[in-house]
Amino acid sequence: MSSELPTYDEAFVWVWLPGATEPIIAGRLYAHDGLVTFNYGQSYLERPEAIPLYLPELPLQPGELPLLTGLTMPGCIRDAAPDAWGRRVILNRRFGTNSRGQGGPDLTELAFLLESGSDRIGALDFQRSPSVYEPRSPVNASFEELIESAQRVEQGIPLSPELDQALYHGSSIGGARPKALIEDGPVKYVAKFSSSSDTYSVVKGEFVAMRLAALCGIRTAPVSLVHASGKDVLLVERFDRVKADNGWQRKLMVSALTMLGLDEMMARYASYQDLAEIIRYRFTDPSASLRELFARIVFNILCGNTDDHARNHAAFWDGEMLSLTPAYDICPQGRTGQEASQAMLIAGRDRSSRLATCLEAAHHFLVADDEAIAIVEAQLCCIAEHWDAVCDEAALSQTDRNLFSGRQFLNPYCLEGLGENAVLKETFLAARNALTSGGGL
């Protein structure tokens, strides 16, 4: 453990091209004047199979590439950096602290890239060398060891070398909650743990929401629950990895924040309407993608997931076109009152968590009015029909069922502004009654 802050002014970007199981050097990141810029290596530009890491941000051309207006580093690079939890793990590893970067030790963006695990989301990694790739490899650890590691980081207790290695592997992935990466044969998982600050079963709440979303016809990452050391662990199957005969293939991904040309400081301007415009012109199968995105917005509102920020939406990138990834991080948020807002604007300046907002915005997603109503009704019926079975599958306590039903899931605020749509109101109230009374429709 070192108290000295490392200084990095460069890092080398390695990439797994589509279908490849080994990375190649793509280029160099250079930190200067508070910015991080990128240039491709000549060897990469000369490869016939080379693809841009993302367009329009990093076109295949020589020289230092200018940043998009308002950004301090390329968004597609920032997508591969650790977020709040990963940064806490790295700070604990170096300083033995649970500092969140406020009034405590700080690291540069390049330091976080170079000091986080190598099995990060997407198909990029970062190295100090342009010629030799040395992965910061995982150490096999049990759920119990991973849970103990997460608890010590939350408490600000330095990790032992064994626990340090157990948790370090997952330091490269995003999000604010305790998590780790696990490999089990032909599948890789993100493991999410309960937090010491949880006042209800957040892990089970996410499981219930993800399972119900899938039952509603939304493409979601498969999830499962396990129990270890008296704690619940949510396993989310990774969709950015493909097991091949000679190793693992990785899929390039970019977040909606990057697609919109924004960074964290500008995230409040992220808009589903603007994302829909990008889908129209830059996505494979745009009509189906727009309908899918609309269905996800509706479900987020119905389940109380107001943490639908632009990093919680992503697309695969094949060098030419984008395609929507499965949905992930659908998690009902704590709620005390009725009125709520989504993290992303839905249309115009409106982000209110109301079905009326969705219906008014449906045309932006090429969804006709009657189809939009049908999507809402189908989700309401599906949630009501499967609620008890999914809660049983999660072994959700009656206390947490009472907390989720009618508050996070199907909060009455969803109905605000629906006006004369009596049929939809009746369907909503019948579904909500099925949740709160424990009976089906």
Side-chain angles (χ1 to χ4, degrees):
M1 191 182 302
S2 171
S3 60
E4 295 184 6
L5 289 171
T7 58
Y8 302 105
D9 59 10
E10 69 175 8
F12 295 95
V13 180
W14 291 67
V15 61
W16 282 253
L17 291 175
T21 56
E22 296 293 336
I24 58 172
I25 179 71
R28 172 180 178 259
L29 292 170
Y30 174 47
H32 59 97
D33 304 319
L35 306 175
V36 176
T37 55
F38 175 80
N39 67 274
Y40 287 105
Q42 188 61 37
S43 64
Y44 185 78
L45 292 173
E46 292 173 353
R47 285 179 174 269
E49 73 275 26
I51 63 173
L53 299 187
Y54 181 59
L55 291 176
E57 201 169 45
L58 299 178
L60 278 178
Q61 60 189 49
E64 182 179 341
L65 299 175
L67 294 165
L68 298 183
T69 302
L71 300 188
T72 58
M73 70 184 301
C76 63
I77 300 297
R78 177 61 183 87
D79 283 340
D83 281 336
W85 173 253
R87 293 178 186 233
R88 288 182 69 182
V89 173
I90 293 167
L91 290 173
N92 182 293
R93 189 173 211 252
R94 178 163 287 278
F95 304 105
T97 176
N98 69 343
S99 167
R100 298 171 187 250
Q102 298 177 351
D106 200 7
L107 297 177
T108 65
E109 285 299 324
L110 289 190
F112 280 120
L113 291 175
L114 290 169
E115 299 205 12
S116 51
S118 287
D119 198 11
R120 63 190 73 246
I121 300 300
L124 302 180
D125 194 23
F126 308 94
Q127 298 279 308
R128 295 181 178 88
S129 169
S131 57
V132 178
Y133 180 78
E134 296 181 349
R136 297 175 288 282
S137 300
V139 172
N140 290 329
S142 66
F143 284 123
E144 289 77 10
E145 290 171 316
L146 292 168
I147 289 169
E148 183 182 348
S149 300
Q151 290 173 333
R152 290 173 72 93
V153 168
E154 285 196 301
Q155 296 165 11
I157 302 172
L159 298 176
S160 67
E162 294 77 19
L163 293 181
D164 173 85
Q165 287 300 313
L167 202 60
Y168 173 62
H169 180 39
S171 63
S172 56
I173 55 180
R177 292 183 57 79
K179 57 177 66 68
L181 298 177
I182 292 174
E183 180 177 337
D184 183 15
V187 183
K188 290 194 175 190
Y189 298 95
V190 176
K192 297 186 174 184
F193 310 121
S194 303
S195 170
S196 59
S197 61
D198 289 345
T199 57
Y200 59 92
S201 184
V202 176
V203 164
K204 287 186 175 182
E206 183 170 347
F207 172 84
V208 169
M210 291 284 286
R211 288 283 293 117
L212 286 172
L215 290 166
C216 286
I218 293 169
R219 287 195 309 114
T220 62
V223 294
S224 57
L225 276 173
V226 297
H227 202 68
S229 295
K231 299 281 187 178
D232 298 308
V233 182
L234 177 69
L235 298 181
V236 184
E237 189 172 325
R238 293 184 66 172
F239 45 75
D240 62 336
R241 297 291 184 268
V242 177
K243 182 69 170 176
D245 291 339
N246 57 339
W248 288 94
Q249 299 172 8
R250 304 189 180 195
K251 293 186 177 183
L252 278 164
M253 284 173 49
V254 291
S255 70
L257 200 64
T258 291
M259 289 182 260
L260 293 166
L262 304 174
D263 65 9
E264 278 77 10
M265 299 300 292
M266 299 183 283
R268 65 186 180 278
Y269 302 115
S271 163
Y272 283 114
Q273 180 180 340
D274 293 341
L275 181 57
E277 191 71 10
I278 293 171
I279 290 175
R280 288 190 191 211
Y281 297 104
R282 302 194 59 209
F283 272 58
T284 59
D285 201 357
S287 295
S289 298
L290 286 167
R291 188 186 188 282
E292 170 77 10
L293 181 60
F294 179 79
R296 293 182 188 187
I297 300 169
V298 171
F299 188 82
N300 280 334
I301 287 173
L302 292 180
C303 80
N305 175 32
T306 54
D307 192 36
D308 57 335
H309 57 78
R311 284 208 186 280
N312 279 345
H313 300 276
F316 298 120
W317 167 249
D318 66 5
E320 295 182 1
M321 299 291 288
L322 295 158
S323 55
L324 207 59
T325 71
Y328 57 95
D329 284 357
I330 303 175
C331 186
Q333 301 298 301
R335 194 161 175 168
T336 53
Q338 290 189 6
E339 189 169 339
S341 297
Q342 299 305 118
M344 283 179 62
L345 297 161
I346 297 174
R349 297 291 94 190
D350 191 353
R351 66 174 82 239
S352 56
S353 305
R354 307 176 306 146
L355 293 174
T357 306
C358 292
L359 298 179
E360 291 164 6
H363 65 281
H364 294 298
F365 304 89
L366 304 184
V367 176
D369 291 347
D370 57 347
E371 185 184 9
I373 292 172
I375 289 171
V376 175
E377 289 180 334
Q379 289 193 15
L380 287 169
C381 293
C382 181
I383 291 170
E385 178 183 354
H386 296 286
W387 175 257
D388 286 336
V390 172
C391 288
D392 289 345
E393 189 180 352
L396 197 65
S397 70
Q398 190 60 51
T399 298
D400 279 342
R401 292 190 198 208
N402 294 340
L403 175 71
F404 286 131
S405 60
R407 183 175 300 183
Q408 277 94 334
F409 287 85
L410 308 191
N411 189 289
Y413 183 65
C414 296
L415 289 178
E416 195 78 22
L418 270 184
E420 300 302 316
N421 199 322
V423 174
L424 191 53
K425 285 182 179 178
E426 289 177 7
T427 304
F428 180 92
L429 292 173
R432 187 172 189 272
N433 182 64
L435 266 61
T436 55
S437 66
L441 278 174

